[in-house]
Amino acid sequence: AAGVVVAADSTRGHVGDALGLRWVPDPGRLPGVLGDFAGRAERVRVARFVDGVPCSVLGMALADGVAVFSPIEIVTLGDPATGRLLFCGSSTFWRPGAAAEDDIRGAARRAGTELVRATGYRGLFSVDGLLTPDGFTATELNPRHASGLGLRAALPDFPLYLHHRAVQERLPGLDTITHADLERLVRELVAATPSASLAVGAVRVEAVPGGPPDHRAGPACARAAAGLGEPGLRAFPLGLPSAPPLPPCEPDDERCTA
């Protein structure tokens, strides 16, 4: 067994980018981790560790339905010996395969539909989770503007956040944009211009995505981490072979090409 994962709520401040997340491979260390969160959160969630590709999918609730875009890789490294987690960024180069993509997007569409039914929500939202050989497991729903869609690279002049706010404010004229048209357009644009925003600590990673079949960027970040002197940090899923490390990077390097 690989232990548990402890996630803090956001009642006492920002906990994104793995800041409020602890992987506890050794259950005997769980009381100490819970003590670390004392005073930093009102509640924590404890779940069984699942070895899968961290991922996310964004959607947008519009007047006529829910648009769901393509899944993205949320690149996070982990050290199995210490439980340390390091968030590195996101990549739209990832290709999980048609069946997995349908699974992820289907979960997001169901979540978005229920969000609209229960609250009348409009605008962007994201569903985060893990993709394993057994399928997609959702871990979080964020009813807000979230990063990583990849539209900035594909259509840099489009003000996505302003569009999100306009949809939330139900400004006139937006109802002519159907969820199906928006979904198709964004997916086509991002697929034609994939992009990544990645760093290991303060060192930017110009990642060349892995080859077929999935083009994951996680292994490139793990190689960069090893080159920076942190060979314990590995890409998920841990069950896959690790790529050989890059030559060591100097501490003052502006970037480490992976």
Side-chain angles (χ1 to χ4, degrees):
V4 299
V5 175
V6 181
D9 67 17
S10 57
T11 53
R12 303 294 176 87
H14 175 69
V15 294
D17 301 345
L19 295 176
L21 202 62
R22 298 289 186 276
W23 176 21
V24 190
D26 178 6
R29 293 163 50 193
L30 181 58
V33 171
L34 295 177
D36 290 342
F37 280 127
R40 298 175 55 192
E42 292 184 5
R43 293 184 179 181
V44 298
R45 183 176 68 226
V46 180
R48 177 177 60 86
F49 172 82
V50 176
D51 186 16
V53 179
C55 54
S56 181
V57 60
L58 274 71
M60 180 172 254
L62 299 176
D64 76 322
V66 176
V68 177
F69 309 121
S70 299
I72 60 177
E73 180 187 4
I74 302 298
V75 183
T76 304
L77 305 180
D79 186 335
T82 65
R84 180 187 174 203
L85 295 171
L86 179 67
F87 171 74
C88 299
S90 61
S91 170
T92 65
F93 285 95
W94 186 47
R95 298 293 180 266
E101 185 166 324
D102 287 347
D103 188 13
I104 297 169
R105 296 182 64 238
R109 196 178 304 279
R110 291 190 298 274
T113 299
E114 177 60 19
L115 180 64
V116 171
R117 187 202 67 79
T119 70
Y121 184 80
R122 295 276 184 91
L124 287 165
F125 65 93
S126 71
V127 174
D128 300 342
L130 296 159
L131 180 65
T132 74
D134 296 326
F136 176 67
T137 299
T139 59
E140 189 170 271
L141 168 66
N142 297 296
R144 57 175 170 78
H145 179 268
S147 63
L149 178 60
L151 194 59
R152 182 178 299 175
L155 198 65
D157 293 332
F158 181 69
L160 179 62
Y161 180 71
L162 293 181
H163 178 63
H164 160 69
R165 289 301 304 271
V167 169
Q168 288 194 317
E169 297 294 334
R170 294 166 166 75
L171 295 185
L174 292 177
D175 288 353
T176 60
I177 304 173
T178 69
H179 77 280
D181 287 342
L182 181 66
E183 177 177 293
R184 181 173 58 254
L185 177 63
V186 171
R187 295 189 70 208
E188 288 176 352
L189 287 170
V190 172
T193 313
S195 61
S197 178
L198 301 165
V200 176
V203 178
R204 183 179 176 186
V205 176
E206 295 290 349
V208 178
D214 61 1
H215 301 281
R216 284 186 305 129
C221 288
R223 294 176 63 208
L228 289 164
E230 297 198 65
L233 288 171
R234 296 173 55 189
F236 295 104
L238 300 172
L240 294 182
S242 298
L246 294 171
C249 299
E250 296 299 325
D252 58 351
D253 279 354
E254 292 186 358
R255 61 185 64 188
C256 180
T257 302

